Amino acid sequence: MNALSDKTVGRLSLYRRLLNGLVADGVTHVYSHQLAVLAGGTAAQVRRDMMAVGYTGSPKRGYDIRELAQSIGAFMDAPEGQGVALIGVGNLGRAILAYFAGRRPHLAIQAAFDADPYKANRVIHGCHCYPMTEMDTIAAKANIRTAIIAVPATEAQAVAAKLVRAGVRGILNFAPIRLHLPAEVYVEDIDMTMSLEKVAYFSRKGRAEKEVNS
Amino acid sequence: MNALSDKTVGRLSLYRRLLNGLVADGVTHVYSHQLAVLAGGTAAQVRRDMMAVGYTGSPKRGYDIRELAQSIGAFMDAPEGQGVALIGVGNLGRAILAYFAGRRPHLAIQAAFDADPYKANRVIHGCHCYPMTEMDTIAAKANIRTAIIAVPATEAQAVAAKLVRAGVRGILNFAPIRLHLPAEVYVEDIDMTMSLEKVAYFSRKGRAEKEVNS
DNA sequence: TAGAACTTGTTAACGCTTTCACAACAAGAA
DNA sequence: TTCTTGTTGTGAAAGCGTTAACAAGTTCTA
Ligand SMILES: NC(=O)c1ccc[n+]([C@@H]2O[C@H](COP(=O)([O-])OP(=O)(O)OC[C@H]3O[C@@H](n4cnc5c(N)ncnc54)[C@H](O)[C@@H]3O)[C@@H](O)[C@H]2O)c1
Ligand SMILES: NC(=O)c1ccc[n+]([C@@H]2O[C@H](COP(=O)([O-])OP(=O)(O)OC[C@H]3O[C@@H](n4cnc5c(N)ncnc54)[C@H](O)[C@@H]3O)[C@@H](O)[C@H]2O)c1
């Protein structure tokens, strides 16, 4: 139960998704090197990540998929489930709502908020959309500690501060600015412009490849 | 002109956007520590990144914003501009089209593709949407080397392979699977589910903080 | 049973990235 | 001019995450 690193948690999430896929295919066991190719990593890394969750496989049979997935779940999921709020129901916000709607039982978007009164008090992709003025009360009532920001960049800092005041401790931020918040708030930025520029750069320059001596 | 690291390229993209914002505010010079707080990093890192692009500021005045932005552009942008293709014009694809439409002159989405014949041969957010059957010819004609994948996970691998055959060398992948492609193709994954699970985890556990001795 | 074959768990080495620390330097003040 | 102040550029150190390597272990074969 010691603190896991950022990257390890990300990979655990990926592993679990892959494991669930394997369960659906009827597979029962998997080796670290198999999981590694699915996850795009190395076998050593998979084993090291398993150390972090404390799950132990068996030599010659590998990992029991169902047990391992459950083990990761015990580690990552809130036992009582966890609610998420979405702020900003624009083009991106609606796509996100559509995507996450009813997909994950233990991690669902429970409420959406938008400053536009035209969008408020409607149900979008199965999620009730409230006006921003009600955010504090609803976030408190549903015990929301996690939020997704999909408002224009100019609004993001103010919205983030408001969320933190309402008790939010983790933010997934799509606005292309860096938020300034207390250190105990975890912020993950998804900066599509930055990502696209990286891809564009490397698709011209090529990835710096390790030179292989002939 | 030596190879830059992944992370450095990402930050350069961010710096440039911040610099452009400052130019709009009429600022002409900036210190490394100012840029650092905007970018959410440290002054030392900013200076090291500047080393990478080879631009030299002046002590006591800092960096000339306009020159620096131009310097980064010379480093990152294709001189003749660069076209991007979007595959999959669903909920997410349309949001992306709306967002990038007409925003960046030197890095524009020039063509969209979708397997659904209902979506083909229409103009969506100013971008022509073609049927998948025409992808090869159009990608070749427009000299497209960069693509965004926003198709369902089950289709992503096949679409990616098709893109690579058509000459694409960099892919921004939104589908929640790891693509298996030749090593010279640069792939950046944006895995929203993974990111959200990370945020959910750390919003409960708190970020592993450095213990400060009293 | 003994041995072969292949796996896991774990420590140590490695490499990449960030941070530190400071010499060199520019600009203004005295 | 000379001193003070606050910056940049950069080698060296530190930190962090990944990879390599191998002992210990499990199963199958004979
Ligand atoms: N659409 C994309 O694909 C995309 C890509 C990259 C980044 N982004 C970023 O994501 C964010 C949203 O993008 P979008 O395309 O959905 O924009 P959008 O304009 O379509 O939607 C923004 C929504 O936020 C609401 N809003 C505005 N101010 C608000 C406030 N103070 N409180 C609550 N709600 C408020 C608006 O009413 C609107 O519904 C932006 O920051 C954008 O830069 C979007
Ligand atoms: N919507 C989101 O916010 C979101 C979030 C996370 C991940 N994703 C991922 O992004 C991808 C797209 O999501 P979406 O919500 O836009 O899905 P969607 O179903 O709305 O859109 C998918 C689009 O792809 C097209 N398509 C299907 N097969 C194709 C093929 N072989 N070639 C070309 N086009 C094809 C479909 O016609 C459709 O227009 C999915 O992989 C999804 O997992 C989306």
Side-chain angles (χ1 to χ4, degrees):
Chain A
M1 294 295 166
N2 38 11
L4 300 228
S5 96
D6 202 290
K7 306 218 174 152
T8 304
V9 174
R11 282 193 299 268
L12 288 178
S13 160
L14 173 59
Y15 295 151
R16 175 164 58 170
R17 197 171 53 208
L18 296 169
L19 292 172
N20 288 338
L22 290 177
V23 166
D25 295 353
V27 190
T28 65
H29 287 142
V30 71
Y31 295 128
S32 59
H33 58 86
Q34 298 175 310
L35 195 47
V37 313
L38 290 177
T42 69
Q45 186 157 68
V46 169
R47 294 204 296 275
R48 173 151 294 262
D49 290 335
M50 294 317 149
M51 266 181 75
V53 317
Y55 180 77
T56 266
S58 102
K60 205 66 181 180
R61 257 181 319 170
Y63 301 98
D64 181 298
I65 291 182
R66 204 175 298 263
E67 278 180 22
L68 178 51
Q70 208 165 342
S71 219
I72 294 176
F75 219 93
M76 302 225 339
D77 301 335
E80 70 288 356
Q82 192 166 3
V84 178
L86 170 73
I87 324 293
V89 191
N91 290 313
L92 181 58
R94 280 193 303 271
I96 290 171
L97 276 180
Y99 181 68
F100 286 109
R103 183 176 296 253
R104 246 161 301 303
H106 61 88
L107 188 60
I109 298 180
Q110 292 190 340
F113 299 92
D114 201 295
D116 185 347
Y118 177 70
K119 286 169 183 150
N121 293 315
R122 305 194 324 175
V123 174
I124 300 178
H125 292 296
C127 181
H128 197 117
C129 181
Y130 301 94
M132 277 302 278
T133 48
E134 295 183 27
M135 201 197 71
D136 304 80
T137 56
I138 293 181
K141 192 161 59 183
N143 194 28
I144 301 253
R145 295 174 63 81
T146 310
I148 303 173
I149 289 187
V151 301
T154 51
E155 308 289 326
Q157 177 62 49
V159 166
K162 197 167 151 68
L163 283 167
V164 171
R165 281 197 300 276
V168 164
R169 288 296 171 268
I171 292 177
L172 181 56
N173 173 43
F174 284 91
I177 63 160
R178 292 302 172 271
L179 302 173
H180 293 267
L181 297 172
E184 69 268 20
V185 180
Y186 182 88
V187 177
E188 167 114 354
D189 292 299
I190 292 189
D191 189 332
M192 294 190 200
T193 303
M194 194 190 90
S195 294
L196 181 59
E197 290 211 331
K198 270 170 65 172
V199 172
Y201 176 86
F202 286 110
S203 62
R204 285 192 302 121
K205 299 281 187 177
R207 178 171 19 212
E209 320 182 37
K210 307 173 198 283
E211 288 294 330
V212 180
N213 295 345
S214 60
Chain B
M1 295 298 163
N2 37 9
L4 300 228
S5 96
D6 202 290
K7 307 216 173 151
T8 304
V9 173
R11 282 192 301 267
L12 289 177
S13 161
L14 173 60
Y15 294 151
R16 175 163 60 171
R17 197 170 53 208
L18 296 169
L19 293 172
N20 288 338
L22 291 176
V23 166
D25 294 353
V27 190
T28 64
H29 289 226
V30 71
Y31 295 126
S32 61
H33 59 88
Q34 298 176 311
L35 196 47
V37 314
L38 291 177
T42 69
Q45 185 158 69
V46 169
R47 293 205 294 275
R48 182 153 301 279
D49 289 335
M50 293 316 147
M51 267 181 74
V53 318
Y55 180 78
T56 267
S58 103
K60 209 66 182 179
R61 258 182 316 173
Y63 300 97
D64 181 299
I65 291 182
R66 203 175 297 265
E67 277 180 22
L68 177 51
Q70 207 166 343
S71 222
I72 294 175
F75 220 94
M76 301 223 344
D77 302 334
E80 68 289 352
Q82 191 166 4
V84 178
L86 170 73
I87 324 292
V89 190
N91 291 312
L92 181 59
R94 281 193 301 272
I96 290 171
L97 277 180
Y99 182 69
F100 286 109
R103 184 175 295 253
R104 247 162 297 307
H106 61 89
L107 187 60
I109 299 181
Q110 292 191 339
F113 299 90
D114 201 293
D116 184 347
Y118 178 70
K119 285 171 183 148
N121 293 315
R122 305 193 328 172
V123 174
I124 300 177
H125 291 298
C127 181
H128 198 119
C129 182
Y130 302 93
M132 277 301 278
T133 47
E134 296 184 25
M135 202 196 70
D136 304 80
T137 57
I138 292 182
K141 193 161 59 181
N143 194 28
I144 301 250
R145 296 174 65 81
T146 310
I148 303 172
I149 290 187
V151 301
T154 50
E155 308 290 327
Q157 177 62 49
V159 166
K162 196 166 150 66
L163 283 166
V164 171
R165 280 197 300 277
V168 164
R169 288 296 172 267
I171 292 177
L172 180 57
N173 173 43
F174 284 90
I177 63 159
R178 293 301 173 271
L179 302 173
H180 293 266
L181 297 172
E184 70 268 20
V185 179
Y186 182 88
V187 178
E188 167 114 355
D189 291 299
I190 291 188
D191 189 331
M192 294 189 200
T193 303
M194 193 190 91
S195 294
L196 182 60
E197 291 210 330
K198 271 170 64 172
V199 171
Y201 176 86
F202 286 111
S203 62
R204 286 191 302 121
K205 300 282 188 175
R207 176 171 19 209
E209 321 185 34
K210 305 173 198 283
E211 288 294 328
V212 180
N213 295 345
S214 60

